[in-house]
């Protein structure tokens, strides 16, 4: 999936609204800015981030005096990508996608969190495939032990990606699975470990305790683990994704986001809003169900594909 194709629905939605907003105008004025505000809010960017974007545009228009409405798209690309956090995984354009940071020891440990249905298992499978393709030895840990289906699904994805999965029986202690996985990965010289966790949000304390227990136990094997806590959010849920992000960020130290299902939705604006609001870089975006439908998020490229 190319980015343009994957974002087609969002692109069409946003672009059509933008065109309507600027139709017949030669100059960016207050009326255009008002209409743009509406375009962004209704494109799931979120109110807070929309107001920030509009303010930046206002300043830019005031500074540059006369801005032609046909320059608006490139102005939007500049201002929005300046505003967003850079993805550390994409910061260095000379480094290939899915290259692990060299400054960190091995195994590099990624703990994956998110509610059920968000696309956790799929994203783990896709990541395993990409990291393996990049020449790494990858191991998965099935620490979502509450649902038999979750363990089975991870095993299926492990087979697809051609990487081993460490599991125990349903109902076993998630921290114990995480411990086993790290032990085994360390003993066998694996480069990357990805741990699946249960996404139960029934209460905040329960989630917090469970995730911190997994974290503590992992640190007995790899002291600086997890290197990445990746929160997986379903982009097609729009504003619900904001709410989930809020809850997980409050419960654990999330330092990366994966936003899935952007291919089937016109709500791709959430990527901009969430990335801005939580100051957590979007690392990956999911653009389909297939094993290679995952991309490293590059802010400029993303924004250009919407407005360019
Ligand atoms: P989990 O419960 O969070 O582990 O969610 P799953 O990984 O099982 O995914 C739930 C559903 O979403 C499955 O049907 C996946 O195929 C689908 N899915 C996951 N990521 C994407 C994506 O990027 N695009 C599309 N179209 N579907 C996805």
């Amino acid at each position: 999936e190319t980015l343009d194709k994957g974002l087609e629905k969002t692109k069409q939605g946003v672009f059509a609204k933008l065109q309507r907003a600027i139709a017949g105008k030669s100059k960016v004025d207050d009326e255009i800015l008002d209409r743009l505000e509406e375009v962004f809010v209704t494109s799931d960017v979120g109110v807070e981030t929309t107001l920030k974007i509009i303010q930046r545009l206002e300043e830019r228009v005031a500074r540059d005096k006369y801005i032609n409405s046909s320059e608006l798209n490139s102005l939007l690309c500049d201002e929005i990508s300046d505003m967003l956090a850079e993805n550390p995984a994409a910061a260095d354009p000379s480094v290939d996608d899915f290259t692990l940071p060299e400054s960190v020891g091995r195994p590099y440990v990624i703990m994956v969190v998110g509610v059920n249905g968000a696309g956790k298992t799929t994203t783990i499978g896709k990541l395993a495939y990409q990291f393996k393709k990049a020449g790494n030895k990858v191991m998965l840990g099935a620490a979502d032990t509450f649902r038999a289906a979750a363990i089975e699904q991870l095993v299926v994805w492990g087979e697809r990606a051609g990487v081993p999965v460490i599991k125990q029986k349903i109902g076993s202690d998630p921290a114990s699975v995480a411990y086993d996985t790290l032990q085994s990965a360390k003993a066998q010289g694996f480069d990357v470990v990805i741990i699946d966790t249960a996404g139960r949000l029934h209460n905040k304390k329960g989630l917090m305790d469970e995730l911190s227990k997994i974290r503590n136990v992992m640190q007995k094997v790899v002291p600086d683990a997890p290197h990445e806590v990746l929160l997986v959010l379903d982009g097609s849920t729009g504003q619900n994704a904001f709410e989930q992000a809020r809850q997980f960020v409050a419960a654990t130290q999330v330092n990366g986001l994966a936003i899935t299902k952007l291919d089937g939705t016109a709500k791709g604006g959430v990527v901009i809003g969430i990335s801005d609001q939580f100051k957590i870089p979007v690392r990956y975006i999911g653009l389909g169900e297939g094993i290679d439908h995952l991309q490293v998020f590059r802010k400029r490229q993303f924004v250009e594909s919407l407005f360019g």
Side-chain angles (χ1 to χ4, degrees):
E1 284 280 331
T2 64
L3 190 60
D4 281 343
K5 184 146 193 329
L7 293 177
E8 209 160 23
K9 288 203 173 139
T10 298
K11 198 175 155 69
Q12 280 166 0
V14 177
F15 204 72
K17 287 185 208 163
L18 262 179
Q19 294 303 351
R20 276 199 298 275
I22 60 178
K25 291 276 190 178
S26 60
K27 183 173 177 294
V28 175
D29 57 13
D30 286 350
E31 197 199 326
I32 285 206
L33 291 173
D34 281 349
R35 294 226 209 137
L36 279 184
E37 189 174 321
E38 209 178 301
V39 167
F40 285 122
V41 172
T42 56
S43 302
D44 282 275
V45 170
V47 175
E48 244 175 79
T49 300
T50 295
L51 293 178
K52 249 199 232 174
I53 296 171
I54 299 298
Q55 197 190 339
R56 292 180 80 115
L57 287 178
E58 267 168 356
E59 283 164 12
R60 184 78 183 260
V61 169
R63 195 171 358 117
D64 298 356
K65 297 291 183 268
Y66 187 89
I67 290 179
N68 185 316
S69 59
S70 61
E71 291 166 337
L72 191 62
N73 284 15
S74 69
L75 197 65
L76 279 171
C77 290
D78 288 351
E79 294 301 327
I80 296 176
S81 45
D82 279 357
M83 197 179 77
L84 301 181
E86 184 58 280
N87 176 5
D92 182 353
S94 69
V95 170
D96 282 347
D97 285 355
F98 301 102
T99 299
L100 295 170
E102 276 172 19
S103 54
V104 190
R106 299 289 185 261
Y108 185 78
V109 179
I110 305 174
M111 178 163 97
V112 180
V113 303
V115 299
N116 295 330
K120 275 198 309 287
T121 317
T122 306
T123 302
I124 292 171
K126 290 170 173 177
L127 279 173
Y129 168 78
Q130 294 289 357
F131 285 132
K132 186 180 174 187
K133 207 167 92 175
N136 299 291
K137 284 172 79 181
V138 186
M139 184 178 280
L140 307 181
D144 178 353
T145 60
F146 294 89
R147 298 175 303 152
I151 303 174
E152 285 160 20
Q153 270 302 102
L154 196 70
V155 169
V156 168
W157 274 105
E159 281 165 7
R160 270 180 205 152
V163 308
V165 180
I166 301 296
K167 60 179 173 130
Q168 293 177 7
K169 60 180 187 306
I170 180 166
S172 56
D173 180 8
S176 151
V177 178
Y179 183 84
D180 274 3
T181 312
L182 264 63
Q183 279 283 8
S184 169
K186 195 176 169 185
Q188 298 174 65
F190 273 67
D191 302 296
V192 195
V193 172
I194 311 176
I195 303 288
D196 188 17
T197 66
R200 297 172 312 150
L201 264 183
H202 55 259
N203 75 69
K204 186 176 144 195
K205 179 149 190 319
L207 179 71
M208 206 185 282
D209 289 350
E210 190 173 301
L211 295 177
S212 62
K213 190 174 168 202
I214 295 176
R215 184 188 280 273
N216 292 339
V217 164
M218 289 198 296
Q219 288 172 354
K220 294 198 168 112
V221 188
V222 178
D224 55 348
H227 303 99
E228 223 173 288
V229 178
L230 187 68
L231 170 61
V232 178
L233 297 168
D234 178 343
S236 69
T237 64
Q239 296 304 301
N240 275 340
F242 279 78
E243 188 45 38
Q244 282 167 28
R246 215 163 275 131
Q247 301 196 38
F248 276 95
V249 165
T252 189
Q253 290 153 289
V254 176
N255 60 7
L257 303 172
I259 304 190
T260 65
K261 309 188 199 181
L262 292 172
D263 51 305
T265 181
K267 296 176 186 290
V270 290
V271 173
I272 295 169
I274 288 185
S275 163
D276 170 55
Q277 209 162 319
F278 294 94
K279 301 289 169 243
I280 299 171
V282 176
R283 283 181 173 265
Y284 309 107
I285 51 177
L287 295 169
E289 294 184 280
I291 200 159
D292 58 354
H293 294 166
L294 186 77
Q295 290 197 2
V296 167
F297 177 73
R298 296 181 187 279
K299 59 181 187 175
R300 181 84 206 183
Q301 202 183 43
F302 182 88
V303 172
E304 272 175 4
S305 133
L306 290 189
F307 307 111

